[in-house]
Amino acid sequence: QVQLVESGGGLVQAGGSLRLSCAASGRTFSSYTMGWFRQAPGKEREFVARISPSGDTDYYPDSVKGRFTVSRDNAKNTVYLQMNSLKPEDTAVYYCAARHYLITSYNYWGQGTQVNVSS
C-alpha cells in the first residue's frame, strides 16, 4: 500500500514558478514509477509528467515540455514537479500517482493540490 500526499500548490502570476512535492509512504518507493496529472474544471484529467523508479528517465507531453521538470529523491520518498513559465491554462488540481514498475496503470493517487495561475 502506498499513500501519497501532495503539497506546494498556490496562486502565482503568469510567468512565475511553483514546485510541487509528493511525499509517499512505504518502504518500496524506489520500485514505483511516479506520475503527475492535472485536472481543470470541466476538463478531463491530463498527464503532465512521469519519472522512472530510479529517476534516470522522465517524460512530458508537449504542453509542458521545457517548462516542467519532474525529479525524485528516493531517500526521502518524495517526488517533485518544478513548474516554470506558468500560464493561466496551467490552472488545475495537480495529482501525483504511483504504479509499480511491473504494471501499466497507476493505482495509487494523492488527494491533489490546487494551482492557480493569474494572468
Side-chain angles (χ1 to χ4, degrees), residues 1-7 19-36 51-54 70-81 96-98 108 110:
Q1 191 79 0
V2 177
Q3 292 184 324
L4 305 172
V5 179
E6 301 97 334
S7 61
R19 188 176 83 154
L20 306 183
S21 299
C22 174
S25 66
R27 296 177 293 177
T28 59
F29 179 71
S30 59
S31 297
Y32 286 81
T33 294
M34 299 300 295
W36 285 95
I51 188 166
S52 61
S54 65
V70 61
S71 62
R72 67 190 295 162
D73 185 339
N74 285 346
K76 295 182 178 180
N77 281 16
T78 302
V79 62
Y80 305 96
L81 184 68
C96 71
Y108 298 106

Side-chain angles (χ1 to χ4, degrees), residues 60-104:
Y60 311 87
D62 289 343
S63 58
V64 306
K65 191 178 295 182
R67 299 188 299 121
F68 289 11
T69 303
V70 61
S71 62
R72 67 190 295 162
D73 185 339
N74 285 346
K76 295 182 178 180
N77 281 16
T78 302
V79 62
Y80 305 96
L81 184 68
Q82 177 67 43
M83 306 185 294
N84 298 329
S85 302
L86 282 162
K87 305 175 182 179
E89 51 264 43
D90 294 318
T91 294
V93 178
Y94 283 72
Y95 300 90
C96 71
R99 60 177 175 87
H100 192 270
Y101 74 93
L102 293 175
I103 65 174
T104 59

